[in-house]
Amino acid sequence: MSASLICGDPLKLEKELDELQKAQVDSLHFDVMDGHFVPRIGLYPEMLKAIKGQTDIPIDVHLMIDHPMAYAEKFIEAGADLISFHVESKDDILETINFIKKQNVKVGLVLKPNTSLETLNPFLESIDLVMLMAIQPGILGQKVIPETFERIFELAHKVKDYSIIIEIDGGVTPETGPKMIEHGAHLLVCGTGTIYRPHEDTLENKIIEVRKIIDQSQL
Ligand code: DX5
Ligand code: ZN
C-alpha cells in the first residue's frame, strides 16, 4: 500500500505522517504535476525534503511532467527512494532511466490507460517497477477504467521473468483493490477511494481496515 499524500489534508500533514508511520504503509506516493503533461499543478521538491525529515517510510515519486530529465535530480536530492515517470513524456526514456539509476534511486515507468504495453519492451531489463494508471492521470477521485484489470493481467504475464513490481495508480477502492491484486498487481496507490475517504475514523484505523481487505485477496 502506497499512501497518496496529495489526497491528505495539508493542514494536518505532520499528524497524518505520524499515523502513516504507525500503520506502516509500504511507501508514500508523491504526485508531481507540471500543468502541461496533466492539467493541474502538484507537489514539489521542497515539500518532499520536509517530509523526508519527518519519516523513514520510502517515498515513491510519480512525475506527471513533460521533462522528467530536467527535474529528476531535484527530487533525488530531496530524498526520493523511487522515481517513476511517464513513458509518454518528452525526454529520452533510456537516458532518464540511466540517470536516475546512476544515483542509486529505483526507477519506474508509468503508462497512461491508452498506452500500449509494448512501449515497455526496450526498457524491461532496466526498470524496477511499472505503474499502470487506472484512470486518466491528474484528477483525483475518478472511477477505475474497466479495461485496467485485463491490462494488469497482461502486464503480469509480460514481466513474469523480470523482478518488476506492478503498481496501480488511481481508482483504488475496497471493491477494485482486491480485484487489482487478483489480476497480478503488487502495490496499490491508496487515495480518496480508501484511506483518505472522508469519514470519522482515524487514518491509522482506515489503513488497518484497507490492508485487511487487500491482504485477504492475496490468499
Ligand atoms: C492521480 C494521481 C494519484 C491519485 C489518485 O493522477 O496520480 O496518485 O492519488 O487518486 P484517487 O485515489 O483519488 O484515484
Ligand atoms: Zn500518482
Side-chain angles (χ1 to χ4, degrees), residues 73-140:
E73 192 160 19
K74 291 268 176 244
F75 289 95
I76 292 169
E77 282 167 8
D81 296 279
L82 178 138
I83 295 191
S84 296
F85 65 97
H86 278 257
V87 77
E88 307 88 358
S89 65
K90 295 187 174 151
D91 290 340
D92 186 290
I93 302 298
L94 195 57
E95 194 188 331
T96 310
I97 290 173
N98 289 335
F99 175 79
I100 296 169
K101 280 174 71 172
K102 224 189 265 168
Q103 313 202 42
N104 287 321
V105 170
K106 289 192 173 141
V107 65
L109 278 180
V110 195
L111 269 65
K112 288 184 184 180
N114 296 327
T115 303
S116 161
L117 297 181
E118 301 289 296
T119 57
L120 291 167
N121 291 353
F123 313 113
L124 290 174
E125 297 279 354
S126 315
I127 53 177
D128 301 291
L129 176 147
V130 173
M131 186 157 74
L132 291 185
M133 297 304 306
I135 54 162
Q136 291 300 339
I139 299 159
L140 310 181

Side-chain angles (χ1 to χ4, degrees), residues 3-7 29-33 38 40 62 64 86 131 133 135-143 169-173 189-194:
S4 185
L5 292 177
I6 204 165
C7 302
H29 186 82
F30 192 89
D31 281 318
V32 179
M33 311 185 206
V38 288
R40 69 170 278 183
H62 176 195
M64 286 169 271
H86 278 257
M131 186 157 74
M133 297 304 306
I135 54 162
Q136 291 300 339
I139 299 159
L140 310 181
Q142 301 176 75
K143 279 215 170 88
D169 191 11
V172 176
T173 67
V189 176
C190 290
T192 60
T194 50

Side-chain angles (χ1 to χ4, degrees), residues 144-162:
V144 69
I145 295 172
E147 288 75 25
T148 303
F149 302 107
E150 189 56 29
R151 227 163 120 74
I152 298 171
F153 186 74
E154 278 169 35
L155 178 64
H157 180 72
K158 188 178 183 68
V159 303
K160 68 178 188 325
D161 297 327
Y162 298 86

